Amino acid sequence: MTLPQLSESPLVRHAGLSYFPLAFIARLPFAMMTVGVLTLVVAERGSLTLGGLNSAAAGLGTALAGPLLGAAADRFGQRRTLVPIGLLNAALLGAFPFVVASTVRDLVVLALSVLIGASAPQVAPMSRTRLVAIIRRAVRADRRERVVNGTMAYESAADETVFIVGPFLVGLLATAIAPWLAIAGASVLTLVFVTWFALHPTGRLAPVGQTSKAQAPVRELARFPLLTVVAGALGIGFFFGATLTSLTGFLADDGSGDRAGLLYGVMGIGSAALALASAAFPARFSLRARWLAFGSLLLAAAVTYALARSVPALVVALAMLGCGIGPTLVTQYSLAAKLSPAGRSATTMTMLGSAVVVGQAVASAVTGLVVDRLGADAALALPAVTAAFVVAAGIAHAASAHSAERQPVPA
C-alpha cells in the first residue's frame, strides 16, 4: 500500500500517521519492565531466585491493578488516567536502581517491584480501545468487522515486535554498558512517550455509547466466553516467558546465553509477519477456527522445540513457533473486541494485556527454577505445556460459543 493510499484510510486519517510510531514506542517500557527488573536484581544482589521473584512481583502488581486502570480509563477517560499513572511509574522506575543498590531488605525491593507493575501504563490495550472507537465512528458498518480484524492484526504484530525488542534492548544495554541503564531508559521512555501518547488527540476518544448510563455492569466482564479469551492470553504470556527463559538456559550451558535475544528474534519475525497476514483471512475462516488451527500449529512446533538439542534445530523450531503465535494472539484480541461489554472496552483490552504480562513473569520465574534444578533440557518442554494450555482455552471458548448459539432465543 502506498503512502497516499494509506493516508486515505479512515482509520489512519482520524488517528494521524504519527500516532502509530508513537503508540509503538510508548509500549516499549511495558515490555522492558519484567526482564529489566530481573536483570538488575540479579546483577546487584547476586540471586537468580530473588530476581525471578521480583519479576513475578511486577507481574502480580500488573494483575492486581491493570484491569482497575482499564476501568478508570473507561470511566474517566484515558488522559486523566494515563498522565498521572505514567508519571508515577516513571518515578518508581527511576528510583528502582538506587533502591536495589542500597542496603534495604529484599522485602522492600519486592514491594517496589509490585508498585512498578501496578503503575505500569498499559499502552497496547489503550491503543486498541482508541482505534476500535475510531472504527466504530468513521468506518461503514459493512466494513467494520474486516477493519477491526486488520487493526487487531497490526496491533498484535506491534506487540509481538515489542516483546522481542524490549528484552533484546534490556540485554544489550545490560551487557554493553550497565544493568541499571535498561530500567533508567524505561523510566525516560515512560516519562516522554507515555505522556505524549496520553496527550495525543485520540486520547479524548471514548467508545461509542460510553456513558455512565450506557456502561454495562461489571459482572458482564465475568462471562465465560470472555474469560476463556483472557485465559488464552494468559497462556500466550506463559509461552513467551517459558520460551525465552528456557532458550536462555539452554544456550547458557555452552556459555552463549547472550545470544538468546537474537535467536528469540527468529520467532518474532514469523510471528509479526503471520499476524499481519491474518488480516487477509476470509470471513468463513472464523475466529474460533483460527484459534484452534494456529494454536494447534503452536503446540506442534513447541513439541519440535522440546526435542531440539542443537542451535540449528532450535532456529527451525522457533521459526515454526512464530507462525503459530502471531495469528493466535490476533484472534484473541479480535474476539475480545467482539465480546467487550458496552462501555468496558479499555477494561477488556487491559485484562488481556495484563494476562500476557502476568503469564510472562510467572513462567519466567518457574522456568528459571526448572533450569536450576532439573536442567535446561527439561525446561525446553515447558513451552509445549503452555501451548497445550492455549489450545485448551481455545477449545473451551469454542464449546461455550457453540453452546450459546444452540440456546433458544427468548420469545
Side-chain angles (χ1 to χ4, degrees):
M1 183 177 288
T2 66
L3 189 60
Q5 288 175 324
L6 187 64
S7 63
E8 290 172 6
S9 163
L11 178 61
V12 175
R13 188 168 62 249
H14 283 77
L17 277 174
S18 64
Y19 172 82
F20 297 93
L22 170 61
F24 181 86
I25 297 172
R27 71 184 80 191
L28 263 176
F30 194 67
M32 297 169 67
M33 177 183 67
T34 54
V35 180
V37 165
L38 170 66
T39 303
L40 181 59
V41 172
V42 171
E44 291 289 346
R45 303 243 163 172
S47 171
L48 181 59
T49 301
L50 181 61
L53 286 173
N54 274 272
S55 180
L60 175 63
T62 301
L64 294 174
L68 297 178
L69 295 179
D74 279 329
R75 186 167 184 85
F76 304 111
Q78 289 196 17
R79 284 188 170 184
R80 293 182 180 179
T81 303
L82 279 175
V83 170
I85 207 68
L87 294 176
L88 173 61
N89 187 250
L92 292 173
L93 286 169
F96 192 71
F98 298 100
V99 173
V100 176
S102 70
T103 58
V104 301
R105 295 184 177 183
D106 293 344
L107 188 61
V108 176
V109 180
L110 283 168
L112 185 54
S113 294
V114 172
L115 292 175
I116 287 173
S119 62
Q122 298 191 35
V123 173
M126 299 293 183
S127 177
R128 286 179 170 89
T129 301
R130 294 184 189 189
L131 295 179
V132 169
I134 291 174
I135 290 168
R136 289 176 177 169
R137 284 173 167 82
V139 177
R140 296 198 316 266
D142 60 328
R143 295 186 57 217
R144 282 177 193 163
E145 184 172 357
R146 186 173 183 83
V147 176
V148 166
N149 289 340
T151 302
M152 293 303 107
Y154 162 76
E155 286 285 310
S156 296
D159 280 346
E160 292 283 335
T161 306
V162 162
F163 273 98
I164 299 298
V165 172
F168 177 78
L169 279 177
V170 171
L172 180 64
L173 292 172
T175 303
I177 305 177
W180 60 266
L181 190 58
I183 288 294
S187 174
V188 173
L189 287 172
T190 300
L191 179 63
V192 176
F193 288 97
V194 171
T195 303
W196 188 359
F197 174 81
L199 297 176
H200 191 273
T202 56
R204 293 194 296 264
L205 291 173
V208 174
Q210 180 175 309
T211 65
S212 58
K213 292 182 179 180
Q215 197 173 54
V218 175
R219 65 176 180 272
E220 294 291 317
L221 294 168
R223 290 196 169 187
F224 189 73
L226 179 57
L227 291 180
T228 59
V229 178
V230 176
L234 179 66
I236 296 294
F238 286 153
F239 173 81
F240 283 144
T243 304
L244 178 57
T245 308
S246 62
L247 180 63
T248 303
F250 182 84
L251 295 175
D253 284 348
D254 294 329
S256 55
D258 55 350
R259 296 169 57 197
L262 295 175
L263 293 186
Y264 193 60
V266 173
M267 184 179 73
I269 294 171
S271 178
L274 264 292
L276 288 172
S278 64
F281 291 156
R284 61 179 178 275
F285 188 13
S286 69
L287 293 174
R288 280 176 280 171
R290 295 178 199 181
W291 187 346
L292 294 177
F294 288 102
S296 298
L297 174 59
L298 181 68
L299 178 56
V303 172
T304 303
Y305 176 87
L307 299 174
R309 292 296 180 269
S310 67
V311 171
L314 283 173
V315 169
V316 172
L318 287 166
M320 292 171 59
L321 287 169
C323 295
I325 193 71
T328 304
L329 191 61
V330 170
T331 298
Q332 291 172 354
Y333 273 106
S334 296
L335 285 168
K338 288 183 65 175
L339 296 173
S340 174
R344 299 284 182 181
S345 180
T347 309
T348 302
M349 295 299 180
T350 307
M351 286 168 64
L352 265 69
S354 298
V356 171
V357 173
V358 170
Q360 183 185 34
V362 172
S364 296
V366 171
T367 306
L369 290 174
V370 173
V371 171
D372 288 341
R373 297 184 181 182
L374 301 178
D377 287 353
L380 291 178
L382 292 181
V385 176
T386 65
F389 183 92
V390 172
V391 173
I395 293 172
H397 176 79
S400 65
H402 182 66
S403 176
E405 289 172 356
R406 294 185 61 182
Q407 289 181 356
V409 178

